[in-house]
Amino acid sequence: MIPYQKFQNYLNQELDSIRSAGLYKDERIIASPQSSVIRLASGKEVLNFCANNYLGLSDRQELIDAAQNAMSSRGYGMSSVRFICGTQDLHKKLEAAIARFFGTEDTILYASCFDANGGVFEPLLGEGDAIISDALNHASIIDGVRLCKAVRYRYANASMEDLESQLQAAQAQRFRLIVTDGVFSMDGNVAPLDQIHRLAEKYDAMVMVDESHSAGVVGKTGRGTTELYDLKGKVDILTGTLGKAFGGAIGGFTTGRREIIDILRQRSRPYLFSNSIPPSVAGAGIAAFELLENSNELQDRLHENAAYFTGKMIEAGFDIKPTQSAICAVMLYDARLSQEMAAKLLDEGIYVTGFYYPVVPKGQARIRVQLSAAHKREHLDKCIAAFAKTGKELGVLK
Ligand SMILES: *Cc1c(COP(=O)(O)O)cnc(C)c1O
């Protein structure tokens, strides 16, 4: 028996148990650009309501042109980390554009926001410090915190009462950092940053917000939670992704106080030991931020679409989680129902995802709808009509 055989048996058992729990993840193959209308590998065309393509930039011509121009003028890849020979003018320009967008002092790019979060805690905080983290924070924040020796405190999602008691418990530590997602991706709720900021001042803590789902989305001009709560430049650390609203290719960033970013350039491991983002991505990223600096059209349209959709869904009788983002959770509670309804919606040409335990709490199954500036009114109407039809068929609506 070869050494792998025993392990292979074990893996097959694991895979079987994932399958029998109904939790096996299949990839769904798309044979078109990412957009509001996509063509599946089967040839079927559907309306897409499950991408993080909030501003419709994933297939935007200006970004494609900018990526192609950057590739022509700066090549395909960097073959280096940033500090050896992997920094081009484009990387510096993109970092400056991100800082301008958020009203922060400096920015450091990463290959992803997963890397940004993985590399932010360990260089800054140590054994004698405290990280106070929202219970529903993204997996990459949880992993990043694990890599750091600081004492961990956890507070219930967006509960300011619990945050306050955790801050009191953390008073003995040298430095305190509160960390939260800007928008929580399963409900679409925004972190109460105004209250978090007040508690942080009261208990001498710094604040970090992961703006992955809020940047480009939340706030009148899409500058994120610090715009919504009028705290631009007052949050110490922001992390975010280029993989959602800003074109959806790849890349992440940490932006905030000058010295923090400076230390990250010296010590952050995913920055020091992983390759630079390619010129095409940097070039298209610059174009994305230019587009958003020069016009508020996309942000306005997204806000209009989100308000229209949630309003009509509530009118139709659906149970919708209160949302301040482009995420609209249609509550169904029952896991099987969420899967059946998503399947029926796909038959109707609407592409959405049903989520259930363990992705959301038990008995809290739902279909998550993600709105985009790229959705036209007729797309929204078709989606709402399909929800109403399938909702009646499945007894969700009376
Ligand atoms: C999507 C997401 C990430 C990961 O971003 P990538 O750039 O895809 O690695 C991190 N944090 C939050 C809150 C996210 O939603």
Side-chain angles (χ1 to χ4, degrees):
M1 195 158 117
I2 59 165
Y4 178 59
Q5 221 158 27
K6 232 163 69 182
F7 191 57
Q8 186 180 37
N9 292 339
Y10 160 75
L11 291 183
N12 279 323
Q13 276 165 20
E14 287 294 300
L15 287 165
D16 284 346
S17 79
I18 294 171
R19 271 192 207 93
S20 60
L23 298 175
Y24 191 85
K25 289 173 201 68
D26 269 312
E27 291 176 343
R28 305 193 279 190
I29 316 294
I30 297 167
S32 71
Q34 182 64 279
S35 190
S36 52
V37 183
I38 50 174
R39 193 175 62 255
L40 306 182
S42 62
K44 186 181 168 79
E45 278 210 348
V46 294
L47 292 179
N48 188 7
F49 285 89
C50 53
N52 304 312
N53 184 19
Y54 294 124
L55 297 173
L57 295 181
S58 300
D59 65 341
R60 178 97 177 189
Q61 197 57 48
E62 287 97 321
L63 270 64
I64 297 169
D65 291 344
Q68 282 171 344
N69 288 339
M71 187 141 43
S72 300
S73 68
R74 297 290 185 282
Y76 172 65
M78 291 310 299
S79 305
S80 171
V81 298
R82 285 287 299 276
F83 80 97
I84 297 180
C85 58
T87 301
Q88 288 174 329
D89 48 352
L90 295 179
H91 296 92
K92 297 313 289 179
K93 217 174 146 187
L94 176 56
E95 286 176 339
I98 293 171
R100 219 165 36 244
F101 186 84
F102 291 98
T104 47
E105 293 172 358
D106 199 3
T107 303
I108 175 174
L109 290 172
Y110 288 88
S112 68
C113 186
F114 207 104
D115 275 352
N117 287 333
V120 70
F121 301 104
E122 184 261 345
L124 298 173
L125 301 171
E127 257 167 40
D129 305 318
I131 298 171
I132 304 123
S133 177
D134 189 290
L136 289 191
N137 278 343
H138 190 262
S140 54
I141 293 177
I142 295 168
D143 286 7
V145 171
R146 276 190 192 139
L147 295 172
C148 170
K149 291 208 167 70
V151 183
R152 285 168 240 170
Y153 297 85
R154 215 166 79 123
Y155 63 98
N157 177 230
S159 163
M160 293 302 99
E161 211 175 294
D162 197 9
L163 173 58
E164 184 157 18
S165 29
Q166 300 306 318
L167 280 164
Q168 286 164 353
Q171 286 304 296
Q173 268 91 39
R174 179 182 57 161
F175 301 121
R176 280 156 292 285
L177 176 66
I178 303 169
V179 53
T180 181
D181 280 10
V183 163
F184 294 93
S185 66
M186 284 300 141
D187 286 10
N189 59 317
V190 172
L193 196 57
D194 50 345
Q195 298 173 60
I196 292 173
H197 184 255
R198 267 201 300 279
L199 285 173
E201 291 203 314
K202 183 170 173 192
Y203 291 99
D204 187 26
M206 296 174 287
V207 178
M208 167 178 153
V209 181
D210 179 341
E211 295 276 40
S212 288
H213 280 288
S214 29
V217 175
V218 169
K220 205 169 162 20
T221 67
R223 264 56 172 178
T225 56
T226 61
E227 180 185 16
L228 184 69
Y229 290 110
D230 204 15
L231 288 169
K232 257 184 126 177
K234 292 187 181 151
V235 166
D236 305 287
I237 304 171
L238 299 175
T239 59
T241 181
L242 300 176
K244 291 186 173 110
F246 301 127
I250 193 106
F253 55 84
T254 301
T255 188
R257 308 267 186 214
R258 189 174 309 288
E259 303 74 19
I260 290 177
I261 304 304
D262 212 3
I263 285 285
L264 294 177
R265 284 191 208 284
Q266 310 311 310
R267 295 194 183 147
S268 181
R269 293 166 71 85
Y271 176 83
L272 295 176
F273 297 106
S274 189
N275 201 31
S276 297
I277 61 167
S280 57
V281 169
I286 294 165
F289 285 99
E290 258 167 25
L291 204 69
L292 301 181
E293 262 171 21
N294 293 332
S295 157
N296 211 55
E297 192 192 326
L298 296 175
Q299 297 93 313
D300 288 344
R301 205 179 309 146
L302 174 63
H303 294 152
E304 242 176 71
N305 283 351
Y308 179 81
F309 183 83
T310 48
K312 289 281 176 191
M313 287 291 282
I314 291 167
E315 241 175 68
F318 285 102
D319 182 359
I320 304 294
K321 281 258 182 198
T323 177
Q324 291 167 281
S325 64
I327 290 167
C328 177
V330 183
M331 298 307 294
L332 299 168
Y333 302 99
D334 182 72
R336 185 173 300 271
L337 179 60
S338 72
Q339 299 310 293
E340 268 177 45
M341 184 138 172
K344 271 184 176 283
L345 283 163
L346 189 59
D347 291 340
E348 299 289 325
I350 305 296
Y351 209 172
V352 287
T353 312
F355 291 99
Y356 55 101
Y357 183 81
V359 179
V360 295
K362 272 206 170 106
Q364 293 285 308
R366 68 198 62 186
I367 286 176
R368 180 177 72 173
V369 177
Q370 291 178 281
L371 285 314
S372 167
H375 288 132
K376 301 200 164 65
R377 184 56 63 88
E378 75 221 46
H379 296 154
L380 302 177
D381 286 335
K382 196 173 164 213
C383 182
I384 295 157
F387 261 98
K389 178 171 179 239
T390 55
K392 275 179 198 130
E393 283 168 10
L394 291 169
V396 177
L397 295 180
K398 299 288 165 279

